[in-house]
Each structure stands twice: as structure tokens, then as C-alpha cells.
Amino acid sequence: MSDISPQDVAKKLLSDRFMRNGPVASTLSDPIEDTYMVVTLDELRPYEHDPRLTRNPLYDDIKASIRERGLDAPPPITRRPGADHYIIRNGGNTRLAILRELWSETRDERFFRIACQFRPWPERGEIIALTGHLAENELHGGLSFIERALGVQKTRELYEQETGKPLSQSELARRLKADGYPVSQPHISRMQEAIQYLLPAIPTLLYAGLGRRQVEQLTSLRRTADRVWAARGGRAQSHVDFPTLFQDVLVLFDSAAGGFSVQRVQDELVGQMAELLDMEYDTLLFEITDSDRRWEVLSREPNDEPELNTTPASPQLSSAALTEPPSLPATPESASTTHSAPVAAPHATDTPSVAAGRQVTTAAGTEEAGDDQRATLLQEHIVSPAGTTERLQSIQRLVADHTGEVLPDFEHNVLQAIPIQVGSLYPISDVWYIEPSLDDPDRLRMHIAQFAREIAGEAEVQDLVESCKAGIGFRCRQPGAEPTPNRYAQATVALLHALSTPYLAADERVTSIDLSFLTEILGTLLLGAPAGTGAQQGLPHRLSDNALVKLFRLLRLSRRLSDIETGILDGDHAITGS
């Protein structure tokens, strides 16, 4: 067979049977598995159903972080079938808006081209996207109560489209939990009340960030006042129905959230109801508040907003990450920052009963002014969810009232001072709480070293503890040959050395301190010698109560120092989302 020339090969390849007959794809299809890809801002758009409707409170901090460091955590992206653009899959709309701003301001390519993880659009894509955005927004700056409520309402619509039938609140709660955004049925009920009765009257106030506690107070006031109105035959005595009356009263207070007081709403509502029902203000006020208290005891459910591990190092309040706790007794820390809120003067058109009612609320602002500070203090003291519910606690209180038992009240007892204020350079009024002024590495080391010296001082070996600017703030040195320290002194130094030495550089560590006997004397040092042993066996006596509390405080401050220096920050100190 003769060789075929290149021209003959080319002619055969270009013959009809080798020509493409199928359609030519204009674009490649999306990957079917998670894939990293580089996209531009022109190809990426925000998720249009993002539950966040207002500016992220951490916006400026996140922008500063991205400007300096770049995008540490690019948002995951996806694309609906047939769409010509990518969208944010769950969380990240704030980061996308910031990237657009930075690209416009700098024209820096690192803000225009983003390496993102693409995830295929799932079968239940719209529901997964919305619940994912709800969860991620909680992690990166939080949502206001009304944003969360509207997000849950939108999710309910998607579920009903999916199932083709209306969903009960219990079924909605079950589906939300299954999709990774747990919200209990009682809280869903409060959300729907807020959308139905509060949002039409006070949208400015709600979008400004009115919190859950105040929303609950308003919805509770509405329910109890409505019951009293119906019991008194309000519609028959006037031409106004209660929903209209409540809306007319509430709309008077639709302004910035800073000066809002539920007590003023109650005062105005009770005053107008008293006029329309021809009742004494004080009588009607007592009837409403007494009914509210009885209703709360019998029907109150657990605080159950979604717990989404918003800040892993931060203590949690019950099962709610975002709960605003009830009022607590003032502490020395909170008392210094509590201010009285201004009280509205009587209106010129007020009746005597309405004016009197306003005077009853003169001190109401003071109580609410310290709520945020008290809430912060309470959250700082809770390190694990409570193994109970508000409903169970209400039943326990009812039983205790009948039996005469006095139940412990955590929220009132948690901030009580521990009486270790004498004999220390830094008095300890609270083992757990760390004041903002102390929340700094240098200040923490100073306090830690002082507590270590005072603990050692009880064994008369304080000279063996010296301050340093490394580690947790102190290091121990080997005792001299004369005089020989007793077993208590040796055990105390060994304990402090064991705590401090792992955090020191190798060239700063003292290797001559013997830690081998710490395992056999640690229990004795902390708990005391067992009966029938002790001095006769050469065991050290235990730390005093004062020294033990100082040790607890030293551990708490050292853990906080470690968190700061390893980048694990609590609450508002963290810059998340970049």
C-alpha cells in the first residue's frame, strides 16, 4: 500500500462524514461538584432574597479588614439553572457590597477577581439558599428581630409552595430545624404577631433595631389589653375597635429606637382606653398588668431564638443567642453607666387620668436605661445553656408559692460579689466578668502576675514569682538551697510553674523545678489531705479559700489572654465576615 500524502489525509478529514452535525455549545455547563473558580464582580450578584434589609452593623470594620488583608473568607457562590450570573449561596452579600465599593475606589484587581467555591444549585435550592443566608447573617453581624421575622415568613412561603398546602407553626418549626435554622413554635408565633400588629405601625422603630425583649413586651401588652377590652365590651361602648385603637397609639412612637419606652406606650394606651371605657386609669392599669402577669406565668415558653454558635468563645444565655434578659440588680459596674431616661411631659390634651398615668411612669426610663449593661454582664456569666425551660421554671415557681419553698434565682444571684475583696492589690468582686478596661494583653498579664505572687505569698515564696512580658505574665525560679522550702511552698511553686511554663519561649523556661511530685500532691493542695494523713505523711496543707479564688481569677484571665493572642475573640470584639 502506497503512502498517503498529507494533502490526501487533510482531504479525507474534511469530507462530509467528518463534519460536526450537532449543536455547538456557546458556554460550558456548571460543574456538578464543589469547585473552586475565579469570578469577576461583573459575573456575581447578591442574593435577592437576603433577609438583611439594613446595613450590617459591622460593615465599616469588615471593610477596613478587607482593605488591609484582602478577602480572607470568600463567600460561596452558586447559580440557578439557566441563569447568566452567579449569586451568593449563603451569607456574603455584605462582603460583595464592600468589594464593589473598594473596586470603585481603588481599581485594585484583587477586589475585582475573586477565588470562590462554587456549589451546584441543589434540588431545593431556593429554600436552602434562604435558610443558609439566615444562618450566616446571624454569624456575621446578626439580624434585627424584624429582619429575622420577615426571613422566616418568606421561608414559610417557599415551604408552602414546595408542599402545596398551608403549614402550621409547629410544622414550620420542624422544617426550619431540619434545614439548619432552628426556631421554636412559640417564637414563630411572636414573629408573626410582630409582622401583623407592630410592623404596620412602627416600621422605622423595628428597622432601627428594636430588640426581642421590647417586641415581646409590646405583643404581650396588645394581647392583655385586647382581652380586657373585649371583657369590658369596648366595641359596644364606642365606635372604635381595639385593633384600630392599638395601631393609632403605637404609630405615635414610630421614631428612632434610642428614646423608645414600652412604658410610655402602655401609659398612652391605658389612658385612651380609660377614656373610651369610662373607667379610672389606675383601675384599668391594674386590670391589664395583673392579667398580663397571670397569662405570662401560665403560658410563657422558653427563650428559643436560633442558637447558631455566634461566637464560640462567648457564653450563651439559655438556648437563645440573641436574648435580651430581664432586668437585673445593679452592680458596681453597671451602676456607673446607668442614666435616667427623659420622661415625656403631659400633652396639653391629656385628661387628668391620662396625666396621672404619665406621672406613674416617671421612673420607668431609668430601669430600661441599664438593660443593655445588665444584659452584657449576665451573658458574660453564662458559660453553658440552662438545662431547663421558662415554662418549667414558671410551674416550679407556682408550686413553690404554694409550698412556701424559696427557689434560687440565677439572674438575681449571678452578679452577687464574692467576698474576697480584702488582702489583694486587685480586689475580686467577680471571678468571671472581665471589665472592658482590663481586656488588654498587657493589663491582663499585670493582674495575672499579681495574683500569682499573692498565691505564692501565702506560702512565703512570693520572691520566687517574677513578672514578665511574655507568656501569661509571670515565671517561677528555682528556690535556693537555704532555707529549704516546706512541702506546701514547693507544691505552690510547682503548681504556678506548671501553669506558666508552657507559654514561655524555650530560652526563658526554668527547667530545674521538679514537677514530678505534682501529680501526687495536687489533689491535697486543692482539696486538703485525706482523714488520718497529712502532716505525719509530709503532705502539704491545702490552699486557703482566698488563694483558691485568686487561682480561679488567674485561670479566667489567663484563658482570656490566650483567646486574644490566638485570635479567638468574644462578642463585639470580633471582626467576622471578612
Side-chain angles (χ1 to χ4, degrees), residues 493-544:
V493 173
L495 173 62
L496 294 173
H497 179 63
L499 291 174
S500 62
T501 193
Y503 303 96
L504 295 171
D507 58 347
E508 295 180 336
R509 297 179 181 179
V510 176
T511 58
S512 56
I513 297 179
D514 182 16
L515 296 180
S516 61
F517 74 105
L518 189 58
T519 54
E520 61 184 85
I521 55 87
L522 181 59
T524 305
L525 184 64
L526 298 178
L527 306 178
T533 61
Q536 57 270 42
Q537 294 188 10
L539 295 175
H541 59 275
R542 70 180 184 183
L543 293 174
S544 70

Side-chain angles (χ1 to χ4, degrees), residues 204-334:
T204 303
L205 195 58
L206 287 168
Y207 287 124
L210 193 67
R212 165 177 172 169
R213 179 172 182 268
Q214 291 169 307
V215 168
E216 288 181 342
Q217 289 175 331
L218 286 174
T219 54
S220 177
L221 173 63
R222 187 203 65 81
R223 285 194 302 266
T224 53
D226 191 13
R227 286 196 298 271
V228 172
W229 178 271
R232 293 283 179 173
R235 185 66 182 267
Q237 298 181 36
S238 68
H239 299 293
V240 180
D241 60 6
F242 182 81
T244 302
L245 173 63
F246 184 76
Q247 294 281 307
D248 289 346
V249 168
L250 202 56
V251 76
L252 300 173
F253 299 89
D254 188 29
S255 59
F260 177 75
S261 168
V262 176
Q263 290 291 336
R264 294 185 184 181
V265 178
Q266 176 181 284
D267 175 54
E268 185 68 32
L269 179 63
V270 174
Q272 293 199 25
M273 286 177 63
E275 286 187 355
L276 293 170
L277 297 176
D278 193 22
M279 292 179 60
E280 288 293 329
Y281 176 94
D282 292 339
T283 302
L284 184 58
L285 177 64
F286 175 79
E287 196 169 328
I288 289 176
T289 54
D290 183 62
S291 173
D292 185 34
R293 281 193 296 269
R294 285 186 280 108
W295 179 263
E296 180 181 0
V297 168
L298 293 174
S299 63
R300 193 176 179 185
E301 293 289 343
N303 292 333
D304 44 24
E305 288 202 26
E307 179 179 339
L308 298 169
N309 199 19
T310 56
T311 51
S314 179
Q316 302 295 320
L317 177 59
S318 184
S319 63
L322 306 170
T323 299
E324 296 178 55
S327 300
L328 295 172
T331 66
E333 292 87 348
S334 63

Side-chain angles (χ1 to χ4, degrees), residues 37-104:
M37 60 173 60
V38 176
V39 296
T40 67
L41 294 182
D42 292 339
E43 299 173 295
L44 184 57
R45 297 183 189 175
Y47 177 60
E48 56 271 38
H49 300 307
D50 184 17
R52 187 186 299 284
L53 304 174
T54 56
R55 180 184 174 95
N56 189 323
L58 298 177
Y59 190 96
D60 292 334
D61 290 338
I62 298 173
K63 182 177 180 180
S65 176
I66 294 176
R67 184 192 295 275
E68 294 299 321
R69 297 167 50 86
L71 195 61
D72 289 340
I77 63 174
T78 188
R79 178 155 57 182
R80 294 183 177 93
D84 59 358
H85 61 272
Y86 299 100
I87 60 172
I88 302 294
R89 183 178 184 272
N90 56 327
N93 285 325
T94 295
R95 282 168 281 173
L96 179 58
I98 288 171
L99 288 171
R100 293 189 185 281
E101 276 191 18
L102 291 173
W103 165 246
S104 176

Side-chain angles (χ1 to χ4, degrees), residues 409-470:
D409 188 338
F410 172 78
E411 293 179 355
H412 286 77
N413 294 338
V414 65
L415 301 182
Q416 297 297 318
I418 295 175
I420 303 294
Q421 300 203 28
V422 179
S424 176
L425 180 61
Y426 302 121
I428 303 173
S429 61
D430 192 315
V431 170
W432 189 259
Y433 179 66
I434 298 175
E435 300 83 357
S437 61
L438 177 58
D439 206 19
D440 170 80
D442 292 337
R443 295 268 296 163
L444 288 169
R445 285 190 175 92
M446 186 187 310
H447 281 241
I448 292 167
Q450 179 62 31
F451 288 130
R453 282 193 296 270
E454 291 177 4
I455 293 169
E458 291 204 356
E460 299 182 349
V461 287
Q462 62 270 25
D463 293 339
L464 301 182
V465 178
E466 55 187 31
S467 302
C468 63
K469 294 184 178 180

Side-chain angles (χ1 to χ4, degrees), residues 126 154-165:
E126 295 297 346
K154 178 63 179 177
T155 310
R156 182 176 197 161
E157 294 173 3
L158 294 177
Y159 283 135
E160 290 179 346
Q161 291 175 12
E162 180 183 48
T163 61
K165 62 180 181 181

